[in-house]
Amino acid sequence: MQREARLNAKGYSERDERRILDALGRGLLREFPNPDRTGCPGSAVLKRIASHEMPLAEAEKWLDHLTSCSPCYSDFSQFQSGYKRQRTRTFLAIAASVFIVISIAGWALFFKQKGPRVVQTAVLDLRSRSIPRGTEPNPGEQPLEVSRGVRYLNVYLPLGSAEGPYEVRIATTTGRAVFTTEGVASLKDGVTSIQTVVDLSSASSGQYIFQVRRANSEWNSYPLMLR
Ligand SMILES: [Zn+2]
């Protein structure tokens, strides 16, 4: 059973292969010169045995000859080393593609692991801010800071803000919106907050205005530094 498991498709086990090599080795040791190549199977057969193309059952009948013919051993050795080189090349090609796959997987893993380390959620805490009415932020107000890579905004609205639908907008200092979304504010642990998905990847870093308002109300504006 175990022996069968080790057989390759053509029926050679490692043991069989050793047997062939031993037989050939003995053939060489006995030094059977055969200048007329009497009874030789011919190079085509030797090649097929060396490359394992010939089923063992078929190769068996040549083993007696190979144990007693030095020229055949010599030919066979050459064919076999050629076959082994080819196997080595195939192995290296497979190894190379495996290496590439592992490398790609490694990179993917690297970026995947790197992902959570980047702060993906930005908290914009407006609770202690004065409430600026209008599209212009209060002068002298410390800018909020957000990385362009963030995926989520968590906006803590000023204390006492009502729950319900809000609009959130990030605009340039000239008033052009680069990001607009809507969110529903809810009260939790005394804080009214809005969670929203954000995509600022196409905006360049610099000064912006962060704006938030209840539907159909006036904007509240805050200076924002996009990094
Ligand atoms: Zn021969």
Side-chain angles (χ1 to χ4, degrees):
M1 222 31 185
Q2 206 181 357
R3 183 172 172 275
E4 277 171 27
R6 280 190 283 115
L7 293 180
N8 69 20
K10 297 293 183 190
Y12 286 84
S13 71
E14 282 172 16
R15 208 166 63 114
D16 290 330
E17 190 160 45
R18 266 203 306 280
R19 248 179 73 221
I20 294 169
L21 291 173
D22 288 345
L24 292 169
R26 278 197 304 278
L28 189 71
L29 284 173
R30 286 172 193 163
E31 285 179 5
F32 284 100
N34 186 3
D36 300 329
R37 305 298 295 264
T38 307
C40 290
S43 58
V45 168
L46 292 177
K47 266 182 198 166
R48 290 182 62 214
I49 298 173
S51 64
H52 296 189
E53 277 170 46
M54 184 183 286
L56 186 62
E58 202 185 320
E60 198 89 44
K61 66 172 177 280
W62 296 110
L63 295 186
D64 277 347
H65 173 83
L66 296 176
T67 57
S68 56
C69 180
S70 293
C72 278
Y73 174 77
S74 170
D75 289 352
F76 179 86
S77 302
Q78 280 175 15
F79 296 144
Q80 202 187 36
S81 58
Y83 168 70
K84 276 182 176 165
R85 270 199 302 277
Q86 200 184 342
R87 268 203 307 194
T88 304
R89 274 200 300 274
T90 308
F91 173 75
L92 288 176
I94 291 169
S97 43
V98 167
F99 176 75
I100 291 167
V101 169
I102 289 172
S103 301
I104 293 170
W107 272 107
L109 198 64
F110 176 74
F111 282 112
K112 208 176 165 187
Q113 286 181 338
K114 208 180 165 191
R117 277 187 231 140
V118 174
V119 177
Q120 294 210 340
T121 302
V123 174
L124 298 182
D125 191 349
L126 309 177
R127 287 175 299 174
S128 59
R129 304 259 170 173
S130 57
I131 298 179
R133 305 281 178 203
T135 51
E136 292 288 325
N138 283 345
E141 181 100 17
Q142 189 70 20
L144 303 160
E145 288 194 21
V146 171
S147 160
R148 290 165 59 237
V150 298
R151 303 285 308 281
Y152 307 98
L153 286 182
N154 195 354
V155 185
Y156 295 173
L157 294 173
L159 293 173
S161 295
E163 293 183 292
Y166 279 78
E167 288 175 64
V168 171
R169 188 166 86 157
I170 293 172
T172 64
T173 49
T174 56
R176 183 178 59 84
V178 294
F179 176 77
T180 307
T181 190
E182 291 170 6
V184 177
S186 58
L187 183 67
K188 193 183 171 189
D189 301 327
V191 180
T192 312
S193 67
I194 307 168
Q195 280 87 40
T196 180
V197 177
V198 70
D199 180 10
L200 300 168
S201 55
S202 57
S204 49
S205 48
Q207 286 193 331
Y208 291 84
I209 302 168
F210 178 78
Q211 299 179 309
V212 61
R213 70 173 175 187
R214 295 204 68 186
N216 305 316
S217 300
E218 214 179 349
W219 288 109
N220 292 343
S221 302
Y222 306 85
L224 175 77
M225 180 59 78
L226 208 55
R227 300 216 179 270

